[in-house]
Amino acid sequence: MEVNDAILAEAVKIYKVLSNGNRIKILYFLENHEADVSSIVAHVNLPQPMVSHQLAILYEYQLVTRSKQGKHVYYCLDDPHILEMVNAMLGHVAHEIKHEPHHD
């Protein structure tokens, strides 16, 4: 894959979005659930305005999708591959904390 400046700039934006632990918690919850805001609030244990704000950012960067059903808006993880990347980083961090050598 050729990396041009436009792709690199977009990747950097996504990394910035993923630099927030609350957004990562929301993404992990949505991995196996389609959920409305109140369900997400209950699971991640954060105030509703904060969750709504984080969801707006995740939606803006196409990391979650949303669909309206009646008065409720349901959110869903848009691309499971994003969590593969997060998992890889968490694995890296776990090794760093233990000071273990890296294994492929």
Side-chain angles (χ1 to χ4, degrees), residues 1-93:
M1 180 177 143
E2 188 178 326
V3 179
N4 62 37
D5 288 346
I7 290 173
L8 194 57
E10 197 59 32
V12 167
K13 287 179 192 171
I14 299 295
Y15 275 114
K16 285 181 181 173
V17 171
L18 293 174
S19 71
N20 178 295
N22 292 330
R23 289 195 280 265
I24 291 175
K25 285 180 190 174
I26 291 169
L27 289 173
Y28 271 108
F29 178 60
L30 293 175
E31 181 179 19
N32 298 309
H33 306 85
E34 184 180 47
D36 64 1
V37 176
S38 59
S39 299
I40 298 167
V41 166
H43 182 79
V44 298
N45 202 22
L46 294 166
Q48 187 269 324
M50 182 184 290
V51 170
S52 292
H53 177 68
Q54 305 307 341
L55 285 166
I57 293 168
L58 293 169
Y59 180 76
E60 179 184 351
Y61 287 94
Q62 299 173 16
L63 299 179
V64 299
T65 58
R66 62 185 181 199
S67 61
K68 199 167 170 106
Q69 297 172 25
K71 292 184 176 181
H72 292 271
V73 177
Y74 287 86
Y75 289 85
C76 191
L77 185 66
D78 191 33
D79 181 3
H81 292 109
I82 205 77
L83 287 182
E84 290 175 17
M85 191 177 71
V86 175
N87 285 335
M89 176 58 77
L90 294 175
H92 169 76
V93 170

